[in-house]
Amino acid sequence: MNIILCGFMGCGKSSIGWRLAKLTGYKFVDIDKVIEEDAGMTVREIFAQKGENAFRSAETQAVKELSKRDNLVIATGGGTVMNPENVDTFHEGGGKILFLDVPVAALQERLKRDVRRPLLQRPDRREFIYKFHRERHPKYKDAADFVIRAGAPAIVVARNIAALVTELEKKEQS
Ligand code: S3P
C-alpha cells in the first residue's frame, strides 16, 4: 500500500509527509523533487522554459513509476490529482489518497511570501489563491479516499494519519 497526500499548495503535503513516513516506517517521496531530479531543473525553471504541459507530462510519468512501488508516503503536487488519469493510476497501484484539508485563510497566510511556486508569482496572489482553491477543493474531495483536517501543526496531523494507516494495514491483512 502507498499513502498519497494531496491538497492545495501550502497544505503541508511534504512537511506532514516526511513526519508520517518516520512514524510509519514507510519511505517518503515528493513528486516535485522526483521531477526536478529527473529534469535537472527546478519546477519553476521547467514551467518557465518548457511550459506547464511539459511539467504535467513529467508529473504523470512520475505517478506511473511511483505507483509500481510499495510502502511509500507520496507527497503530490497541488495539481497532480486534478488529472483523473493520475488518480486512477494511484488507485490501481493500491494507493490510498488522503486529502489534507486546510482553511483557505491559513493557506493564504502560509503562501504570502512564496517565491518558489510558479503559479503564485502574480500581483493578485491572495485573490488568486481564494478563487483557485474554490475551484479545486471539490476535485480534491472527489479524488480522496479520506479527507483529513490538516490545519493543526504538522506533527499532530502526521500522528493522526499514522493511526489511520495502522487501521488500514489491519484491514489489508484481514
Ligand atoms: C502546483 C503545485 C506545486 C507544483 C507546481 C504546480 C499546482 O506543488 O507541483 O508548482 O498546480 O498546484 P506544491 O503543491 O507542493 O506546491
Side-chain angles (χ1 to χ4, degrees), residues 7-98:
F8 202 81
M9 291 173 270
C11 73
K13 299 178 292 286
S14 303
S15 54
I16 293 167
W18 71 258
R19 288 176 173 87
L20 176 65
K22 265 193 162 177
L23 291 169
T24 54
Y26 285 43
K27 185 172 161 34
F28 176 66
V29 186
D30 183 324
I31 292 199
D32 281 347
K33 294 274 173 297
V34 170
I35 296 168
E36 288 183 337
E37 275 159 27
D38 285 353
M41 297 161 99
T42 64
V43 170
R44 204 172 166 183
E45 286 165 348
I46 300 172
F47 267 70
Q49 294 174 31
K50 298 182 169 180
E52 181 169 350
N53 287 345
F55 174 78
R56 297 298 171 198
S57 305
E59 189 173 47
T60 294
Q61 196 50 43
V63 168
K64 284 185 184 145
E65 292 303 320
L66 293 173
S67 293
K68 290 178 194 159
R69 294 168 55 188
D70 203 9
N71 286 35
L72 301 178
V73 171
I74 302 176
T76 61
T80 311
V81 302
M82 295 299 113
N83 180 350
E85 184 189 341
N86 293 339
V87 175
D88 290 346
T89 307
F90 280 137
H91 281 142
E92 282 157 17
K96 300 284 183 219
I97 303 182
L98 279 55

Side-chain angles (χ1 to χ4, degrees), residues 111-128:
L111 295 168
K112 69 181 180 193
R113 275 186 274 276
D114 178 84
V115 290
R116 195 173 51 82
R117 295 173 172 91
L119 297 174
L120 298 181
Q121 309 314 310
R122 45 192 297 153
D124 62 342
R125 176 183 302 201
R126 214 179 149 75
E127 296 72 36
F128 173 75

